[in-house]
Amino acid sequence: MRTGKTSGIRGTRRVPRLLRTLLCTVLCTLTALFAAVTGPAQAATGTDSSAQAAHLADRLRANPVYVTDQLPREVPQSTAPAFAEVARRTGVPTYVIVLPSQNAADPGLLTKVHKRLGRDGLYVLMDESFVAEAEAHGVGAPAEDAWTVALYEVPYDAGPLRRFERFAEVVAQGGEKAAARAKAARAKYGDGDEEPAALYIGPSDRSDQSFLTGTLLTGVPLLILLLVPYVRRWWLRGPRPAGTTGAAWRKEVKASRALRRTLPVLALASAVAVAVTAPVVFDQTRSSWSPRPRAIDLNARLDRVAEGLAQDPVYADPESPRVLDSAQSARLHDRIRAFARSQNGGPVFVSLVPQLAEDESGGDEEAFAAAVHDKLGEDGVYIVADPASGYIDVFNHGLRLDGYSLLFDLPESITHGDGKADEAADHFLGERLGALMTILEKTPRTDEPNSPGDPYPVTDPVTEDDLPPLFGSDFWPTLLMGGVAAGLVFGLVAGLLGIVRRFR
């Protein structure tokens, strides 16, 4: 009996154990499949963006419209009141975030910001050109249809503010009208064969306008002076019409002489007309919608980074997804402290900040590092690591190091990374910055501070979108072309009239 009872108990215990084993196997398999499916998506969208979402939510808590300080050349922070005014036209609580397109790569960023903020409304994410994303949380707003209309109906060069105006206009119309308008926009522009006309011209277009103005300014008066007398002479030398008396013919000859005396006045009047009319017709003065940035716009990001580096030698841009985890950040801080204590070492400042063509430095890392050094007022090695592109640049300001080797001789695996680094969400910046610190520790010391010198001046952000003047450098050579064009037209007309005379 004892044996049988014992066997029964063991049998009942074996079944749950098998179930647990099977369950663990299934869970492990599902976990592996989930990681395989979600891994590439996470690598494509970036690293942890929770801190980024928290930062943006804090900004929206203070003001429902937040404009980044990283796009002063395209969307200065001073445009925030204009975005706020447009946001009020939607008729629902609207929260607007303007970020560089590189910082808005996470497709779930607005949802995360909404959860952090805890307020229902229409959430709109703008970049330097478009409405990147729009979501309605707890309100009835046709966000998707408004996004479609703003994408298709507005010219590509209109700028984000004008595109947001169209977006708000469609939202205010309601769901039914917005859906119909989106359908019409897709039908008209969806195939790409047709698109709205551009609003702005470029320097090459202005050059064409100057060419046309200069050609007309000299060509039209010359044609009046040359062609009108020639045509009159050709007419008078031809056979007289039937019934024309000698007195009438002499009267016509006299009128022709009077016309010849007034031709200089007509030619001068035509030149004045061209000179006065051309600036009215070609009245464009800028090649972009963006307003001229103010000094506070151009210094906002530099001040922010310098203040951050004054407190911590590693500054991670809060508007970007984090590329260093806590362990990597701690190791980097340890290496920086060790280098500062080393012989002829010194401070190291790491800026994990995107470098963009629309920022105050025009995407020039050297100019950015020099400006931050001036703001911070402390010598050291300034490392600029772009969390979006993964590029790393190093600049020595005032330390007794071989700054040229740091600038020109670093391995490409550190400065640009390899193929795997390009595909990785964090570009392996933690590992590459660690390798850079190893090279920095081994960099030869010098007797005197060794720096490459001042960076090249960047394009003036205040005037970079100004078009050349109509009567500028491209205008004056075209005055000669006007004379050439007038001669060609005169020769063509004279040849045609000669052929007509032979047939007559």
Side-chain angles (χ1 to χ4, degrees):
M1 290 295 294
R2 184 179 297 178
T3 305
K5 189 175 180 180
T6 305
S7 301
I9 293 174
R10 289 177 178 175
T12 57
R13 289 179 178 175
R14 188 179 294 115
V15 174
R17 188 178 301 168
L18 291 173
L19 289 176
R20 288 197 299 269
T21 303
L22 180 61
L23 182 60
C24 289
T25 303
V26 172
L27 289 177
C28 291
T29 303
L30 291 177
T31 302
L33 289 174
F34 180 78
V37 172
T38 60
Q42 292 173 350
T45 57
T47 55
D48 183 17
S49 59
S50 58
Q52 178 190 21
H55 172 77
L56 296 174
D58 290 340
R59 303 285 80 74
L60 293 180
R61 193 170 286 111
N63 191 319
V65 173
Y66 175 69
V67 178
T68 179
D69 58 9
Q70 303 198 59
L71 302 171
R73 292 173 181 263
E74 189 66 25
V75 194
Q77 279 192 316
S78 55
T79 58
F83 280 97
E85 180 183 354
V86 176
R88 287 190 287 268
R89 303 175 193 171
T90 61
V92 296
T94 303
Y95 300 93
V96 182
I97 303 173
V98 181
L99 286 181
S101 55
Q102 295 91 330
N103 292 20
D106 185 356
L109 181 60
L110 286 183
T111 300
K112 294 178 182 178
V113 171
H114 166 247
K115 289 181 179 179
R116 291 277 185 173
L117 186 59
R119 299 176 184 175
D120 288 340
L122 176 62
Y123 286 73
V124 184
L125 179 61
M126 308 286 302
D127 60 23
E128 57 270 21
S129 302
F130 300 98
V131 179
E133 191 177 353
E135 294 178 357
H137 293 276
V139 296
E144 184 68 24
D145 292 329
W147 177 88
T148 300
V149 173
L151 175 66
Y152 286 122
E153 285 190 357
V154 182
Y156 72 92
D157 62 344
L161 180 58
R162 192 168 298 178
R163 202 173 295 275
F164 183 53
E165 290 175 349
R166 186 65 56 88
F167 175 89
E169 172 191 329
V170 177
V171 170
Q173 289 180 339
E176 185 176 348
K177 291 184 178 179
R181 192 163 174 179
K183 182 179 179 181
R186 282 191 295 265
K188 185 175 182 180
Y189 302 110
D191 55 4
D193 294 335
E194 183 179 358
E195 61 182 23
L199 298 179
Y200 299 93
I201 64 172
S204 61
D205 299 311
R206 173 46 54 88
S207 180
D208 294 340
Q209 293 175 352
S210 297
F211 178 85
L212 179 60
T213 301
T215 301
L216 292 177
L217 189 59
T218 54
V220 173
L222 284 176
L223 280 177
I224 292 176
L225 293 174
L226 296 175
L227 200 57
V228 173
Y230 181 83
V231 173
R232 292 292 297 180
R233 286 195 302 270
W234 176 86
W235 174 255
L236 293 176
R237 291 174 181 175
R240 298 181 184 181
T244 303
T245 63
W249 191 254
R250 286 192 296 272
K251 185 177 180 180
E252 187 171 351
V253 172
K254 186 177 181 181
S256 177
R257 292 173 180 172
L259 177 62
R260 189 181 301 115
R261 288 193 294 270
T262 60
L263 282 181
V265 178
L266 293 176
L268 180 61
S270 67
V272 172
V274 171
V276 172
T277 305
V280 177
V281 176
F282 305 137
D283 60 344
Q284 301 93 335
T285 59
R286 290 177 59 80
S287 60
S288 171
W289 80 279
S290 57
R292 292 179 175 86
R294 304 177 302 176
I296 191 173
D297 297 320
L298 297 171
N299 285 279
R301 187 176 76 148
L302 297 174
D303 292 335
R304 169 167 65 91
V305 175
E307 291 172 4
L309 290 175
Q311 302 173 10
D312 190 324
V314 179
Y315 180 79
D317 177 36
E319 296 182 358
S320 304
R322 290 295 177 91
V323 292
L324 297 182
D325 58 30
S326 57
Q328 291 172 331
S329 180
R331 287 194 296 269
L332 182 58
H333 280 83
D334 291 341
R335 300 290 296 274
I336 290 175
R337 285 191 290 267
F339 180 78
R341 295 191 299 266
S342 66
Q343 183 179 5
N344 289 338
V348 176
F349 303 100
V350 181
S351 300
L352 291 160
V353 180
Q355 301 299 304
L356 312 165
E358 298 84 6
D359 65 31
E360 77 291 326
S361 306
D364 189 322
E365 297 85 356
E366 187 174 6
F368 172 78
V372 172
H373 168 249
D374 291 340
K375 292 280 186 180
L376 189 58
E378 187 172 353
D379 288 341
V381 175
Y382 285 76
I383 301 174
V384 181
D386 190 332
S389 67
Y391 292 170
I392 298 176
D393 293 274
V394 185
F395 307 97
N396 176 35
H397 286 279
L399 297 188
R400 295 180 178 180
L401 299 174
D402 184 2
Y404 290 97
S405 66
L406 293 175
L407 185 60
F408 300 112
D409 298 334
L410 286 177
E412 189 171 344
S413 60
I414 291 180
T415 58
H416 291 78
D418 52 18
K420 292 183 178 180
D422 290 339
E423 297 175 359
D426 60 355
H427 303 289
F428 299 151
L429 281 176
E431 294 84 348
R432 291 163 57 202
L433 286 172
L436 173 60
M437 291 303 301
T438 300
I439 293 178
L440 190 60
E441 293 165 356
K442 298 178 180 179
T443 300
R445 273 47 173 177
T446 57
D447 296 334
E448 298 293 333
N450 188 344
S451 300
D454 295 332
Y456 290 109
V458 298
T459 305
D460 186 353
V462 178
T463 61
E464 67 174 351
D465 291 329
D466 291 350
L467 289 171
L470 184 64
F471 300 106
S473 58
D474 291 336
F475 167 77
W476 301 107
T478 61
L479 295 176
L480 178 61
M481 295 301 299
V484 175
L488 292 176
V489 173
F490 176 77
L492 178 62
V493 173
L496 292 176
L497 292 180
I499 295 174
V500 172
R501 176 181 297 172
R502 292 189 61 181
F503 281 100
R504 291 176 60 182

